[in-house]
Amino acid sequence: SWPYELVRAMFAGYQERDYTSTSTLVDHCVRSDVLKRKEDYVEDLQSLYIPFRGTNKHRLLEENAHPEAIAEARFFTTVTGQEISCSPDHLTRTTLTDWKFTESPPMYNYPWRNHTEQVQFNAFIVRNATKMERGDGRKFAGWDTLPFDPREEQATKLMVVYLGPKFVK
């Protein structure tokens, strides 16, 4: 039932990660994430489909980000000898935003707890970044090549935007 083109695109877009990211830190089972990075394992197509859809939607939003924003860049810092990283979806001088694609956005006006934790971790890492990689594939040529230095002009607002199948929250 899986068309060839879809399977090929899902494998082509699969992201091998050898770093500890904030999404790993707030995952329900951190141990399984660590094992996936260290050991061979088998994954089924259905479990690859949701991340595939999210990655493609993130890419579309990144391509259309505000010119004064930093979109999908990866920031790194070290805490007690362990390097951790994050990739905020959209960062402006005032706001760090994380897009969440979900079938069921929270019922009330509060983000899911792990999403709140993730944007808080992201803000900490960005404010204390020791290095950065550009999200658009271009080589990072220095902090002064960005629209602003997010370590100096620190976002004071953290936002989780849920993009559900029928509405945005």
Side-chain angles (χ1 to χ4, degrees):
S1 65
W2 293 89
Y4 169 84
E5 294 79 7
L6 180 59
V7 172
R8 185 166 180 209
M10 286 175 12
F11 284 136
Y14 185 75
Q15 298 175 350
E16 282 290 335
R17 295 182 177 174
D18 61 352
Y19 48 80
T20 302
S21 67
T22 55
S23 54
T24 301
L25 295 175
V26 300
D27 199 352
H28 298 294
C29 184
V30 176
R31 183 175 184 272
S32 69
D33 283 335
V34 171
L35 288 172
K36 284 180 181 180
R37 286 168 173 75
K38 305 278 185 194
E39 302 293 333
D40 291 336
Y41 66 98
V42 175
E43 191 81 79
D44 63 349
L45 292 175
Q46 188 168 350
S47 64
L48 293 176
Y49 183 64
I50 291 173
F52 168 76
R53 280 184 20 203
T55 299
N56 283 316
K57 291 175 183 176
H58 273 93
R59 187 174 296 122
L60 182 62
L61 290 170
E62 178 184 356
E63 290 169 358
N64 291 284
H66 189 280
E68 289 294 309
I70 301 170
E72 298 286 346
R74 180 155 298 280
F75 296 88
F76 298 83
T77 195
T78 302
V79 177
T80 62
Q82 177 66 45
E83 185 175 66
I84 56 174
S85 72
C86 71
S87 183
D89 297 329
H90 194 263
L91 180 61
T92 67
R93 295 174 195 275
T94 60
T95 308
L96 183 149
T97 304
D98 198 32
W99 311 112
K100 296 295 182 188
F101 300 91
T102 181
E103 297 297 316
S104 305
M107 184 187 257
Y108 302 104
N109 287 329
Y110 301 101
W112 298 119
R113 182 180 197 114
N114 60 323
H115 296 159
T116 299
E117 291 172 351
Q118 185 174 3
V119 294
Q120 290 171 344
F121 282 143
N122 288 355
F124 174 83
I125 293 168
V126 169
R127 291 174 185 146
N128 297 282
T130 54
K131 68 178 182 178
M132 187 190 112
E133 294 174 357
R134 295 189 61 104
D136 58 13
R138 296 182 308 180
K139 183 165 177 56
F140 179 56
W143 296 101
D144 58 338
T145 63
L146 299 173
F148 63 96
D149 186 337
R151 302 167 306 168
E152 300 296 326
E153 295 184 59
Q154 297 179 355
T156 57
K157 182 178 179 184
L158 305 179
M159 188 163 52
V160 177
V161 178
Y162 290 97
L163 302 163
K166 297 182 180 181
F167 61 93
V168 175
K169 184 172 189 177

